[in-house]
């Protein structure tokens, strides 16, 4: 988010809180939009392409609560990475991610303690789920087999 837009966003969060305290329904916004006049959580082209792909009627609506957007903005899992250990950590990171920004994910991985493993995947945020699902899911299955399977079933 551009710094000049933060004040308006925080004002929208406060307005939504006031509305809900008065018993009004939560305010909503778009999940994605390329139109800068439309309030939306994500504007990256890959997020727009993913969330607006054709789906059966009624399967998904491009709408979320403003409160959900606020919660997502406050979500900072990297803060806790050094505390995950000794629980095994696998991070699958897309190298051109503009949604969960690659450089922040890699910096977080560096802060994490062992045992840990990093798998990098070419492409953007959604590629591990779509174009490179085989690579991402194989890494996860291997990790879970190594760390969660009973000892006699590990590789």
């Amino acid at each position: 988010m551009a710094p000049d837009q933060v004040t308006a966003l925080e004002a929208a969060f406060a307005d939504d809180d006031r509305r809900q305290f008065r018993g009004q329904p939560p305010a909503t916004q778009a999940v994605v939009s390329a139109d800068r006049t439309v309030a939306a959580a994500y504007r990256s082209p890959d997020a727009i392409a993913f969330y607006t792909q054709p789906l059966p009627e009624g399967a998904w609506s491009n709408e979320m609560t403003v409160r959900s957007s606020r919660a997502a903005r406050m979500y900072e899992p990297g803060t806790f990475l050094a505390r995950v250990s000794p629980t095994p950590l696998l991070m699958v990171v897309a190298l051109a991610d503009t949604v969960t920004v690659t450089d922040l994910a890699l910096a977080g991985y560096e802060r994490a303690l062992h045992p840990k493993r990093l798998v990098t995947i070419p492409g953007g945020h959604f590629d591990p789920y779509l174009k490179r699902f085989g690579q991402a899911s194989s890494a996860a299955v291997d990790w879970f087999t190594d760390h969660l399977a009973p000892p006699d079933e590990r590789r």
Side-chain angles (χ1 to χ4, degrees):
M1 166 164 285
D4 65 328
Q5 297 173 346
V6 172
T7 300
L9 179 64
E10 291 295 333
F13 291 158
D15 183 55
D16 182 47
D17 284 343
R18 284 189 290 276
R19 289 170 36 89
Q20 289 187 61
F21 288 143
R22 290 191 301 262
Q24 296 174 324
T28 60
Q29 66 179 45
V31 175
V32 294
S33 180
D35 182 347
R36 295 284 177 186
T37 65
V38 173
Y42 301 107
R43 299 199 186 280
S44 67
D46 56 335
I48 293 168
F50 178 81
Y51 285 111
T52 60
Q53 62 187 307
L55 292 172
E57 184 68 31
W60 182 77
S61 174
N62 184 23
E63 184 178 51
M64 64 188 285
T65 64
V66 169
R67 182 169 285 185
S68 295
S69 186
R70 181 184 224 171
R73 185 168 167 77
M74 294 172 17
Y75 179 62
E76 294 186 44
T79 303
F80 303 100
L81 278 169
R83 298 178 186 162
V84 171
S85 177
T87 301
L89 173 70
L90 169 67
M91 287 183 63
V92 178
V93 176
L95 293 172
D97 196 331
T98 60
V99 177
T100 306
V101 188
T102 302
D103 63 337
L104 296 179
L106 295 175
Y109 178 80
E110 291 302 317
R111 288 192 312 277
L113 304 175
H114 289 280
K116 64 181 181 177
R117 179 169 177 228
L118 174 66
V119 174
T120 58
I121 296 191
H125 182 80
F126 299 97
D127 287 321
Y129 309 107
L130 301 171
K131 295 177 188 172
R132 307 258 184 204
F133 180 75
Q135 182 182 357
S137 62
S138 292
V141 167
D142 291 347
W143 184 256
F144 293 137
T145 300
D146 289 346
H147 295 281
L148 296 179
D152 60 324
E153 294 179 28
R154 293 182 184 169
R155 294 183 294 125

